[in-house]
Amino acid sequence: DLLELDGVHEASPNLSIIRSLWEQHGGISRCKATLPAPYVPISTSWSDYLNSLKPKLRSDTARRVRRLERLGVIEFQQPEDQETAVHLLEVLASQKSPRYRTTGARDILSNGATLKFFKDAVRSLWPLGLAHLSCIRVDGKPVAVHFGFIYRGKYFYYMPSFDLKFGPYSVGRILNYHLLEMSFLGSLDEFDFLVGADAYKYEWTNREKVLYRLVSYRMTPKGV
């Protein structure tokens, strides 16, 4: 009776295929643009990309790194084994839940079910090289964590977190810097920030994709 697909990429063949199939069977399809999805095309060197960024962003990030270095040794770390990655998800949840509460957003990690799903996903996808965890450590302590995915030459920026006590040091931005550097030096084709017009994403790019919501329904009382 009803099919609703949200966040479909503008280049997806599913848009035209599903609309055509649905209409062949007496249905109606409506398609409209929704939120943008910023992304960074990786078509230059890392140094050329850095030089394309606003000087203020580069200088301010360097300044915050120097401030953070006064607290201890800074490391960008990517877990080498699956269980370390799963443990980082627990750290992410412990950082993300307070952030949800301070912003008034719904804490999707509070009941434990979503975190368990993430752990199951990492255990399934880690052997395939598709799940990716990373963190910024200060003297060994993880102060910012990111959970993302790598698939077909693209890095998908999914869920970041940071220790609220380290917010003034912009540890989230420092982690993003290293994730982008990793993507450029790792011969990927694209860094996808995924859906959401968050201001911090546009610090790193002025490019965005259009995502669509496709709604199809049958001309029946229930469908209508």
Side-chain angles (χ1 to χ4, degrees), residues 5-197:
L5 300 177
D6 204 5
V8 184
H9 186 275
E10 59 187 339
S12 171
N14 293 328
L15 286 175
S16 59
I17 292 173
I18 292 175
R19 292 185 72 177
S20 175
L21 288 172
W22 201 271
E23 289 164 2
Q24 285 175 28
H25 292 82
I28 291 179
S29 292
R30 295 198 172 108
C31 190
K32 68 175 182 177
T34 56
L35 293 172
Y39 73 103
V40 179
I42 300 177
S43 56
T44 64
S45 68
W46 170 240
S47 59
D48 286 343
Y49 169 71
L50 282 181
N51 290 332
S52 72
L53 298 174
K54 293 180 180 179
K56 183 178 179 181
L57 174 65
R58 300 199 304 268
S59 61
D60 186 61
T61 302
R63 179 175 61 83
R64 292 175 188 268
V65 168
R66 290 193 296 270
R67 285 184 58 204
L68 192 59
E69 285 174 334
R70 296 172 193 159
L71 303 181
V73 178
I74 302 174
E75 296 176 284
F76 171 65
Q77 183 189 67
Q78 303 171 68
E80 295 183 359
D81 62 87
Q82 174 180 291
E83 287 312 307
T84 303
V86 169
H87 173 69
L88 264 185
L89 281 175
E90 296 176 356
V91 177
L92 180 147
S94 70
Q95 295 176 349
K96 196 75 175 175
S97 286
R99 175 67 174 169
Y100 282 135
R101 291 193 292 271
T102 58
T103 59
R106 183 172 68 90
D107 184 359
I108 64 171
L109 298 168
S110 61
N111 61 8
T114 301
L115 179 58
K116 181 183 181 301
F117 172 75
F118 287 162
K119 289 181 177 180
D120 290 344
V122 167
R123 290 190 175 106
S124 297
L125 298 175
W126 189 267
L128 304 175
L130 301 180
H132 185 267
L133 271 293
S134 59
C135 68
I136 293 292
R137 293 183 183 270
V138 176
D139 274 356
K141 177 184 179 180
V143 299
V145 180
H146 182 259
F147 172 35
F149 303 92
I150 299 175
Y151 182 64
R152 292 189 176 181
K154 296 181 180 181
Y155 189 88
F156 295 93
Y157 181 88
Y158 181 63
M159 181 170 284
S161 71
F162 63 90
D163 187 325
L164 292 178
K165 295 191 296 291
F166 288 84
Y169 297 91
S170 295
V171 288
R173 182 199 291 176
I174 295 170
L175 179 54
N176 289 347
Y177 175 96
H178 285 285
L179 284 172
L180 283 159
E181 180 183 35
M182 175 204 74
S183 300
F184 272 80
L185 301 183
S187 301
L188 296 180
D189 302 319
E190 184 177 293
F191 188 98
D192 192 337
F193 276 108
L194 297 180
V195 66

Side-chain angles (χ1 to χ4, degrees), residues 38-41 49 53 193 201-208:
Y39 73 103
V40 179
Y49 169 71
L53 298 174
F193 276 108
K201 297 178 182 180
Y202 291 96
E203 292 180 330
W204 304 101
T205 185
N206 58 5
R207 306 283 292 273
E208 62 183 33

